[in-house]
Amino acid sequence: WNMAGGKVYDLSRMLYDASDGKINMFGDEQLRRMGEWKSKTFIGDDWVTAFGDAQAHTRGDVAIQYRFGYDIGSREMMDFGIYLSTDPVKKKFNNELKIDNNDIFRHLETFRYSQLLMEAEEKALKDAGGDYDLMVKELRRNASSEWYGDNQVAVFRNPNGWYLAAKGGSNGERHNHNDVGSGIVFLREFPVLIDLGCSTYRKETFGSGRYTLLENVSSGHNTVTVNGSEQGTGKEFAAGQAVCDLEAGTFTAEFSGAYP
């Protein structure tokens, strides 16, 4: 996300500044969905939804979440940025300024927005009556279920603490794992069904041995193996008829097309 959705935001900010506001992408619905992906797929206790070559356990950058949300007018993203700055054990905010991936633009933007972020933190705590634990809980109240139809990823959460992420898609996606039909389940931030995520990159990761690695093949995911046959590799091996009903809390797809 930092080098995809996060970079689209960085470039949108540059265009806005360079054109004195004449080029303004901050009202774009696709940009909002790209930004809120980070909040909606954050599970809790630093666990995140990790399909393909993605980290399964990461805190994420506080400052870019807040300022991205501020610029596009997303309460969910701003609250998420504040949430990431909290330390429930020490019961204080962590506002250490740091360079993100040696990116001087982001560092300067972090500095520029720092006062706004600190004021927002103070207000969040005040709104919770000074109760730090209540504030932390309230900051995630806007996180909701979502359906990403382009890559067929469904994210569900309910008030009882259940979290489900499931995917259709194909086995020809960027940084692909053969994981059509895979799912991740957590209960109150406790992992029930997990994705192995990505191992440390090595020569096999992007070479001819990529699909000899357990974390990249379907038997290393929450998918079925049919009569000893794993899923095929390539975009032709894909889910069909993927349908998501967020109100009903259902995701269905036809998965036989993922197998040879």
Side-chain angles (χ1 to χ4, degrees), residues 76-88:
E76 178 177 341
M77 282 196 74
M78 287 189 284
D79 284 352
F80 184 52
I82 299 170
Y83 171 87
L84 292 176
S85 74
T86 62
D87 185 333

Side-chain angles (χ1 to χ4, degrees), residues 105-238:
F105 175 77
R106 285 191 180 175
H107 183 59
L108 291 171
E109 288 291 276
T110 294
F111 184 76
R112 191 162 70 92
Y113 280 77
S114 60
Q115 185 62 36
L116 280 174
L117 175 57
M118 287 188 287
E119 290 173 357
E121 290 169 346
E122 292 173 3
K123 184 179 185 302
L125 185 57
K126 182 179 179 180
D127 289 347
D131 186 327
Y132 198 91
D133 293 332
L134 176 61
M135 177 200 67
V136 171
K137 182 179 179 180
E138 286 294 298
L139 287 170
R140 292 295 285 157
R141 70 188 183 282
N142 289 323
S144 59
S145 302
E146 187 60 274
W147 165 239
Y148 297 94
D150 290 344
N151 54 357
Q152 298 181 355
V153 171
V155 174
F156 299 105
R157 62 181 84 238
N158 71 17
N160 297 322
W162 285 100
Y163 178 91
L164 164 69
K167 73 180 296 290
S170 79
N171 287 333
E173 298 164 353
R174 293 182 182 181
H175 290 271
N176 176 71
H177 291 186
N178 289 347
D179 59 355
V180 172
S182 184
I184 298 169
V185 178
F186 276 69
L187 174 59
R188 291 187 288 277
E189 302 181 356
F190 184 86
V192 179
L193 291 176
I194 66 167
D195 190 296
L196 293 178
C198 181
S199 63
T200 301
Y201 284 167
R202 52 196 188 275
K203 66 178 183 179
E204 294 88 357
T205 305
F206 296 107
S208 58
R210 178 173 177 82
Y211 292 99
T212 64
L213 303 176
L214 177 64
E215 66 271 19
N216 291 350
V217 297
S218 59
S219 59
H221 295 81
N222 295 313
T223 62
V224 297
T225 299
V226 184
N227 294 330
S229 177
E230 295 195 26
Q231 294 183 10
T233 302
K235 64 181 180 181
E236 67 272 27
F237 296 100

